[in-house]
Amino acid sequence: MQLNKFIKSTKLSNPPKQLSGIYFGLWYVINDKWDLAHKIIQEINTIMVSTIHAYLHRMKGDISNAKHWYNKAGYPLKNRY
């Protein structure tokens, strides 16, 4: 799916069926469905997804867990919080 189509899809009430993986998780992030986004994101093991996983924990105020995921992605957050 092209980026502009993905962005337009975020206005829909349900994610398009052709979304998968990271895009499926991001669709839920954008639509403020933290629990669904987290469930999808935690099943994918890449640097990009670890960064997104960290961001999800920052959104929830779970800084300790966010630091863990940023470290896993290679972005240590020493002294930033």
Side-chain angles (χ1 to χ4, degrees):
M1 175 178 279
Q2 294 178 343
L3 180 60
N4 62 340
K5 288 184 180 181
F6 173 75
I7 292 169
K8 287 179 183 178
S9 82
T10 63
K11 305 294 183 202
L12 301 172
S13 57
N14 292 302
K17 293 181 185 209
Q18 66 265 39
L19 289 182
S20 62
I22 190 172
Y23 299 102
F24 194 49
L26 287 173
W27 191 95
Y28 283 112
V29 170
I30 292 166
N31 283 280
D32 201 27
K33 307 279 189 202
W34 191 91
D35 290 329
L36 289 170
H38 185 256
K39 183 177 180 179
I40 293 163
I41 295 296
Q42 71 184 1
E43 298 297 323
I44 304 169
N45 189 20
T46 66
I47 291 172
M48 173 73 75
V49 174
S50 291
T51 305
I52 293 168
H53 198 153
Y55 174 74
L56 290 174
H57 283 287
R58 280 183 63 191
M59 285 175 52
K60 284 299 202 179
D62 185 355
I63 303 307
S64 175
N65 210 340
K67 284 182 179 180
H68 163 77
W69 286 102
Y70 278 123
N71 283 333
K72 187 172 180 174
Y75 302 107
L77 294 182
K78 297 176 187 171
N79 302 320
R80 292 193 186 179
Y81 291 97

